[in-house]
Short mmCIF file of all heavy atoms in Angstrom, two decimals:
data_model
loop_
_atom_site.label_atom_id
_atom_site.label_comp_id
_atom_site.label_asym_id
_atom_site.label_seq_id
_atom_site.Cartn_x
_atom_site.Cartn_y
_atom_site.Cartn_z
N LEU A 1339 -55.75 -27.43 -1.72
CA LEU A 1339 -56.15 -26.26 -2.50
C LEU A 1339 -55.68 -26.32 -3.95
O LEU A 1339 -56.12 -25.52 -4.78
CB LEU A 1339 -55.60 -24.99 -1.84
CG LEU A 1339 -56.13 -24.70 -0.41
CD1 LEU A 1339 -55.40 -23.50 0.18
CD2 LEU A 1339 -57.63 -24.48 -0.43
N ALA A 1340 -54.80 -27.27 -4.25
CA ALA A 1340 -54.23 -27.37 -5.61
C ALA A 1340 -55.24 -27.95 -6.58
O ALA A 1340 -56.08 -28.77 -6.22
CB ALA A 1340 -52.97 -28.22 -5.58
N ARG A 1341 -55.15 -27.51 -7.80
CA ARG A 1341 -55.96 -28.04 -8.90
C ARG A 1341 -54.99 -28.54 -9.97
O ARG A 1341 -54.55 -27.79 -10.83
CB ARG A 1341 -56.90 -26.97 -9.46
CG ARG A 1341 -57.95 -26.50 -8.48
CD ARG A 1341 -58.96 -27.59 -8.19
NE ARG A 1341 -59.97 -27.15 -7.23
CZ ARG A 1341 -59.89 -27.33 -5.93
NH1 ARG A 1341 -58.81 -27.92 -5.41
NH2 ARG A 1341 -60.85 -26.93 -5.13
N TYR A 1342 -54.68 -29.83 -9.86
CA TYR A 1342 -53.64 -30.37 -10.73
C TYR A 1342 -54.27 -31.12 -11.91
O TYR A 1342 -55.18 -31.93 -11.74
CB TYR A 1342 -52.74 -31.32 -9.95
CG TYR A 1342 -51.66 -31.96 -10.78
CD1 TYR A 1342 -50.57 -31.23 -11.22
CD2 TYR A 1342 -51.75 -33.30 -11.15
CE1 TYR A 1342 -49.59 -31.80 -12.00
CE2 TYR A 1342 -50.77 -33.89 -11.92
CZ TYR A 1342 -49.70 -33.13 -12.35
OH TYR A 1342 -48.72 -33.71 -13.12
N VAL A 1343 -53.77 -30.81 -13.10
CA VAL A 1343 -54.20 -31.49 -14.31
C VAL A 1343 -53.01 -32.26 -14.86
O VAL A 1343 -51.94 -31.67 -15.08
CB VAL A 1343 -54.71 -30.48 -15.38
CG1 VAL A 1343 -55.12 -31.22 -16.65
CG2 VAL A 1343 -55.87 -29.66 -14.83
N PRO A 1344 -53.14 -33.57 -15.08
CA PRO A 1344 -52.01 -34.36 -15.60
C PRO A 1344 -51.48 -33.80 -16.91
O PRO A 1344 -52.22 -33.18 -17.69
CB PRO A 1344 -52.63 -35.76 -15.79
CG PRO A 1344 -53.77 -35.79 -14.84
CD PRO A 1344 -54.32 -34.40 -14.79
N ASN A 1345 -50.20 -34.00 -17.12
CA ASN A 1345 -49.55 -33.50 -18.33
C ASN A 1345 -50.15 -34.15 -19.57
O ASN A 1345 -50.05 -35.36 -19.77
CB ASN A 1345 -48.05 -33.80 -18.24
CG ASN A 1345 -47.28 -33.13 -19.36
OD1 ASN A 1345 -47.85 -32.54 -20.28
ND2 ASN A 1345 -45.96 -33.23 -19.28
N LYS A 1346 -50.80 -33.33 -20.38
CA LYS A 1346 -51.45 -33.86 -21.59
C LYS A 1346 -50.43 -34.20 -22.68
O LYS A 1346 -50.77 -34.90 -23.64
CB LYS A 1346 -52.46 -32.85 -22.13
CG LYS A 1346 -53.62 -32.61 -21.17
CD LYS A 1346 -54.62 -31.62 -21.76
CE LYS A 1346 -55.79 -31.40 -20.80
NZ LYS A 1346 -56.78 -30.44 -21.36
N GLY A 1347 -49.21 -33.71 -22.50
CA GLY A 1347 -48.20 -34.00 -23.51
C GLY A 1347 -47.60 -35.39 -23.36
O GLY A 1347 -46.87 -35.85 -24.26
N VAL A 1348 -47.90 -36.08 -22.27
CA VAL A 1348 -47.37 -37.43 -22.05
C VAL A 1348 -48.19 -38.42 -22.86
O VAL A 1348 -49.42 -38.43 -22.79
CB VAL A 1348 -47.41 -37.79 -20.55
CG1 VAL A 1348 -46.93 -39.21 -20.35
CG2 VAL A 1348 -46.56 -36.81 -19.75
N THR A 1349 -47.51 -39.24 -23.61
CA THR A 1349 -48.19 -40.24 -24.44
C THR A 1349 -47.90 -41.63 -23.90
O THR A 1349 -47.05 -41.83 -23.04
CB THR A 1349 -47.71 -40.14 -25.89
OG1 THR A 1349 -46.29 -40.34 -25.92
CG2 THR A 1349 -48.04 -38.77 -26.47
N GLY A 1350 -48.63 -42.59 -24.46
CA GLY A 1350 -48.43 -43.98 -24.05
C GLY A 1350 -49.57 -44.46 -23.15
O GLY A 1350 -50.43 -43.69 -22.71
N ASP A 1351 -49.59 -45.76 -22.91
CA ASP A 1351 -50.63 -46.38 -22.10
C ASP A 1351 -50.25 -46.28 -20.62
O ASP A 1351 -49.28 -46.89 -20.18
CB ASP A 1351 -50.79 -47.85 -22.51
CG ASP A 1351 -51.99 -48.51 -21.86
OD1 ASP A 1351 -52.56 -47.92 -20.91
OD2 ASP A 1351 -52.35 -49.63 -22.27
N PRO A 1352 -51.02 -45.56 -19.80
CA PRO A 1352 -50.66 -45.42 -18.38
C PRO A 1352 -50.77 -46.74 -17.60
O PRO A 1352 -50.12 -46.91 -16.57
CB PRO A 1352 -51.65 -44.38 -17.85
CG PRO A 1352 -52.81 -44.45 -18.80
CD PRO A 1352 -52.23 -44.80 -20.13
N HIS A 1353 -51.60 -47.65 -18.09
CA HIS A 1353 -51.80 -48.93 -17.40
C HIS A 1353 -50.68 -49.93 -17.69
O HIS A 1353 -50.66 -51.01 -17.10
CB HIS A 1353 -53.15 -49.53 -17.80
CG HIS A 1353 -54.31 -48.66 -17.41
ND1 HIS A 1353 -54.76 -48.54 -16.12
CD2 HIS A 1353 -55.11 -47.86 -18.17
CE1 HIS A 1353 -55.80 -47.71 -16.08
NE2 HIS A 1353 -56.02 -47.28 -17.31
N LEU A 1354 -49.77 -49.55 -18.59
CA LEU A 1354 -48.59 -50.38 -18.86
C LEU A 1354 -47.30 -49.65 -18.50
O LEU A 1354 -46.21 -50.08 -18.89
CB LEU A 1354 -48.55 -50.78 -20.35
CG LEU A 1354 -49.66 -51.72 -20.83
CD1 LEU A 1354 -49.53 -51.96 -22.34
CD2 LEU A 1354 -49.60 -53.05 -20.09
N THR A 1355 -47.44 -48.56 -17.75
CA THR A 1355 -46.29 -47.72 -17.44
C THR A 1355 -45.87 -47.89 -15.98
O THR A 1355 -46.71 -47.90 -15.08
CB THR A 1355 -46.60 -46.25 -17.72
OG1 THR A 1355 -46.98 -46.11 -19.10
CG2 THR A 1355 -45.39 -45.37 -17.45
N LEU A 1356 -44.56 -47.98 -15.79
CA LEU A 1356 -43.97 -48.16 -14.47
C LEU A 1356 -43.29 -46.85 -14.05
O LEU A 1356 -42.63 -46.20 -14.86
CB LEU A 1356 -42.94 -49.29 -14.53
CG LEU A 1356 -42.63 -50.05 -13.23
CD1 LEU A 1356 -43.86 -50.81 -12.75
CD2 LEU A 1356 -41.48 -51.01 -13.47
N PHE A 1357 -43.46 -46.48 -12.78
CA PHE A 1357 -42.82 -45.31 -12.24
C PHE A 1357 -41.58 -45.76 -11.45
O PHE A 1357 -41.66 -46.61 -10.57
CB PHE A 1357 -43.78 -44.56 -11.31
CG PHE A 1357 -43.15 -43.45 -10.51
CD1 PHE A 1357 -42.66 -42.32 -11.12
CD2 PHE A 1357 -43.03 -43.56 -9.13
CE1 PHE A 1357 -42.08 -41.29 -10.39
CE2 PHE A 1357 -42.46 -42.55 -8.38
CZ PHE A 1357 -41.98 -41.41 -9.01
N VAL A 1358 -40.41 -45.19 -11.77
CA VAL A 1358 -39.15 -45.56 -11.12
C VAL A 1358 -38.56 -44.30 -10.49
O VAL A 1358 -38.33 -43.31 -11.18
CB VAL A 1358 -38.16 -46.17 -12.13
CG1 VAL A 1358 -36.89 -46.61 -11.43
CG2 VAL A 1358 -38.81 -47.33 -12.88
N ALA A 1359 -38.32 -44.35 -9.17
CA ALA A 1359 -37.84 -43.17 -8.44
C ALA A 1359 -36.59 -43.50 -7.64
O ALA A 1359 -36.16 -44.65 -7.56
CB ALA A 1359 -38.94 -42.64 -7.53
N ARG A 1360 -36.02 -42.46 -7.03
CA ARG A 1360 -34.80 -42.54 -6.21
C ARG A 1360 -33.60 -43.01 -7.03
O ARG A 1360 -32.74 -43.75 -6.55
CB ARG A 1360 -35.02 -43.46 -5.01
CG ARG A 1360 -36.16 -43.02 -4.12
CD ARG A 1360 -36.45 -44.02 -3.03
NE ARG A 1360 -37.68 -43.66 -2.33
CZ ARG A 1360 -38.31 -44.46 -1.49
NH1 ARG A 1360 -37.81 -45.67 -1.23
NH2 ARG A 1360 -39.41 -44.07 -0.90
N LEU A 1361 -33.57 -42.55 -8.25
CA LEU A 1361 -32.46 -42.91 -9.13
C LEU A 1361 -31.23 -42.06 -8.83
O LEU A 1361 -31.34 -40.92 -8.37
CB LEU A 1361 -32.85 -42.72 -10.60
CG LEU A 1361 -33.94 -43.63 -11.16
CD1 LEU A 1361 -34.36 -43.14 -12.54
CD2 LEU A 1361 -33.45 -45.07 -11.23
N ASN A 1362 -30.09 -42.63 -9.11
CA ASN A 1362 -28.86 -41.86 -9.08
C ASN A 1362 -28.95 -40.82 -10.20
O ASN A 1362 -29.37 -41.11 -11.32
CB ASN A 1362 -27.67 -42.79 -9.31
CG ASN A 1362 -26.34 -42.10 -9.08
OD1 ASN A 1362 -26.15 -40.94 -9.42
ND2 ASN A 1362 -25.40 -42.84 -8.52
N LEU A 1363 -28.54 -39.59 -9.90
CA LEU A 1363 -28.64 -38.52 -10.90
C LEU A 1363 -27.74 -38.78 -12.10
O LEU A 1363 -27.90 -38.11 -13.14
CB LEU A 1363 -28.29 -37.17 -10.26
CG LEU A 1363 -29.20 -36.73 -9.10
CD1 LEU A 1363 -28.78 -35.35 -8.60
CD2 LEU A 1363 -30.66 -36.71 -9.54
N GLN A 1364 -26.81 -39.72 -11.97
CA GLN A 1364 -25.93 -40.05 -13.08
C GLN A 1364 -26.48 -41.21 -13.94
O GLN A 1364 -25.90 -41.54 -14.98
CB GLN A 1364 -24.54 -40.44 -12.56
CG GLN A 1364 -23.90 -39.39 -11.66
CD GLN A 1364 -23.74 -38.06 -12.37
OE1 GLN A 1364 -23.39 -37.99 -13.55
NE2 GLN A 1364 -23.99 -36.97 -11.64
N THR A 1365 -27.59 -41.83 -13.50
CA THR A 1365 -28.15 -42.96 -14.25
C THR A 1365 -28.77 -42.46 -15.56
O THR A 1365 -29.51 -41.47 -15.58
CB THR A 1365 -29.22 -43.67 -13.39
OG1 THR A 1365 -28.61 -44.14 -12.19
CG2 THR A 1365 -29.81 -44.84 -14.14
N THR A 1366 -28.50 -43.17 -16.63
CA THR A 1366 -28.96 -42.76 -17.96
C THR A 1366 -30.09 -43.66 -18.45
O THR A 1366 -30.39 -44.70 -17.85
CB THR A 1366 -27.81 -42.81 -18.97
OG1 THR A 1366 -27.34 -44.18 -19.06
CG2 THR A 1366 -26.67 -41.91 -18.52
N GLU A 1367 -30.70 -43.26 -19.59
CA GLU A 1367 -31.74 -44.09 -20.21
C GLU A 1367 -31.18 -45.45 -20.63
O GLU A 1367 -31.87 -46.47 -20.54
CB GLU A 1367 -32.34 -43.38 -21.43
CG GLU A 1367 -33.22 -42.19 -21.11
CD GLU A 1367 -32.44 -40.88 -21.00
OE1 GLU A 1367 -31.19 -40.94 -20.83
OE2 GLU A 1367 -33.07 -39.81 -21.09
N GLU A 1368 -29.94 -45.47 -21.10
CA GLU A 1368 -29.34 -46.73 -21.53
C GLU A 1368 -29.20 -47.70 -20.36
O GLU A 1368 -29.43 -48.90 -20.51
CB GLU A 1368 -27.96 -46.47 -22.15
CG GLU A 1368 -27.98 -45.77 -23.50
CD GLU A 1368 -28.32 -44.29 -23.39
OE1 GLU A 1368 -28.22 -43.74 -22.26
OE2 GLU A 1368 -28.71 -43.70 -24.42
N LYS A 1369 -28.83 -47.18 -19.19
CA LYS A 1369 -28.70 -48.04 -18.02
C LYS A 1369 -30.06 -48.58 -17.60
O LYS A 1369 -30.20 -49.78 -17.25
CB LYS A 1369 -28.08 -47.24 -16.88
CG LYS A 1369 -27.84 -48.03 -15.61
CD LYS A 1369 -26.80 -49.13 -15.83
CE LYS A 1369 -26.49 -49.87 -14.56
NZ LYS A 1369 -25.44 -50.91 -14.74
N LEU A 1370 -31.09 -47.76 -17.64
CA LEU A 1370 -32.43 -48.20 -17.27
C LEU A 1370 -32.94 -49.27 -18.25
O LEU A 1370 -33.55 -50.26 -17.84
CB LEU A 1370 -33.40 -47.01 -17.26
CG LEU A 1370 -33.20 -45.99 -16.13
CD1 LEU A 1370 -34.13 -44.80 -16.33
CD2 LEU A 1370 -33.43 -46.63 -14.78
N LYS A 1371 -32.64 -49.06 -19.53
CA LYS A 1371 -33.08 -50.06 -20.51
C LYS A 1371 -32.38 -51.38 -20.29
O LYS A 1371 -32.97 -52.45 -20.43
CB LYS A 1371 -32.79 -49.53 -21.92
CG LYS A 1371 -33.32 -50.43 -23.02
CD LYS A 1371 -33.12 -49.79 -24.39
CE LYS A 1371 -33.68 -50.68 -25.48
NZ LYS A 1371 -33.50 -50.07 -26.83
N GLU A 1372 -31.10 -51.32 -19.93
CA GLU A 1372 -30.33 -52.54 -19.69
C GLU A 1372 -30.91 -53.34 -18.50
O GLU A 1372 -31.00 -54.56 -18.57
CB GLU A 1372 -28.88 -52.17 -19.40
CG GLU A 1372 -27.99 -53.36 -19.04
CD GLU A 1372 -26.60 -52.93 -18.63
OE1 GLU A 1372 -26.23 -51.76 -18.86
OE2 GLU A 1372 -25.88 -53.77 -18.04
N VAL A 1373 -31.31 -52.64 -17.47
CA VAL A 1373 -31.82 -53.31 -16.26
C VAL A 1373 -33.24 -53.79 -16.45
O VAL A 1373 -33.57 -54.94 -16.17
CB VAL A 1373 -31.72 -52.36 -15.05
CG1 VAL A 1373 -32.39 -52.99 -13.82
CG2 VAL A 1373 -30.27 -52.03 -14.75
N PHE A 1374 -34.13 -52.93 -16.95
CA PHE A 1374 -35.55 -53.26 -16.99
C PHE A 1374 -35.97 -54.09 -18.19
O PHE A 1374 -37.09 -54.61 -18.21
CB PHE A 1374 -36.38 -51.96 -16.92
CG PHE A 1374 -36.44 -51.38 -15.53
CD1 PHE A 1374 -35.49 -50.46 -15.11
CD2 PHE A 1374 -37.42 -51.78 -14.64
CE1 PHE A 1374 -35.53 -49.93 -13.84
CE2 PHE A 1374 -37.46 -51.25 -13.35
CZ PHE A 1374 -36.52 -50.33 -12.95
N SER A 1375 -35.12 -54.23 -19.16
CA SER A 1375 -35.45 -55.10 -20.29
C SER A 1375 -35.38 -56.58 -19.91
O SER A 1375 -35.82 -57.44 -20.67
CB SER A 1375 -34.50 -54.83 -21.47
OG SER A 1375 -33.15 -55.06 -21.09
N ARG A 1376 -34.86 -56.89 -18.71
CA ARG A 1376 -34.84 -58.27 -18.24
C ARG A 1376 -36.25 -58.81 -18.01
O ARG A 1376 -36.48 -60.01 -18.07
CB ARG A 1376 -34.07 -58.37 -16.92
CG ARG A 1376 -32.65 -57.82 -16.94
CD ARG A 1376 -32.09 -57.76 -15.53
NE ARG A 1376 -30.80 -57.08 -15.48
CZ ARG A 1376 -30.20 -56.74 -14.33
NH1 ARG A 1376 -30.76 -57.04 -13.17
NH2 ARG A 1376 -29.03 -56.12 -14.37
#
């Protein structure tokens, strides 16, 4: 019954974007950059 519209405020190329879930709530952007920049 839901009518969901994707967030129009999100920018960037969706076909080059990775979704990362189940993160520790203490994990920061710096830690993610350190790991995924490999």
Side-chain angles (χ1 to χ4, degrees):
L1339 297 174
R1341 295 292 180 268
Y1342 178 73
V1343 179
N1345 189 353
K1346 295 181 180 180
V1348 177
T1349 59
D1351 189 347
H1353 298 285
L1354 293 176
T1355 302
L1356 206 65
F1357 170 67
V1358 183
R1360 301 174 189 168
L1361 294 171
N1362 189 322
L1363 299 182
Q1364 305 301 320
T1365 301
T1366 62
E1367 289 89 341
E1368 290 74 17
K1369 183 65 177 183
L1370 290 174
K1371 185 174 181 180
E1372 176 186 346
V1373 174
F1374 283 91
S1375 59
R1376 305 171 187 170

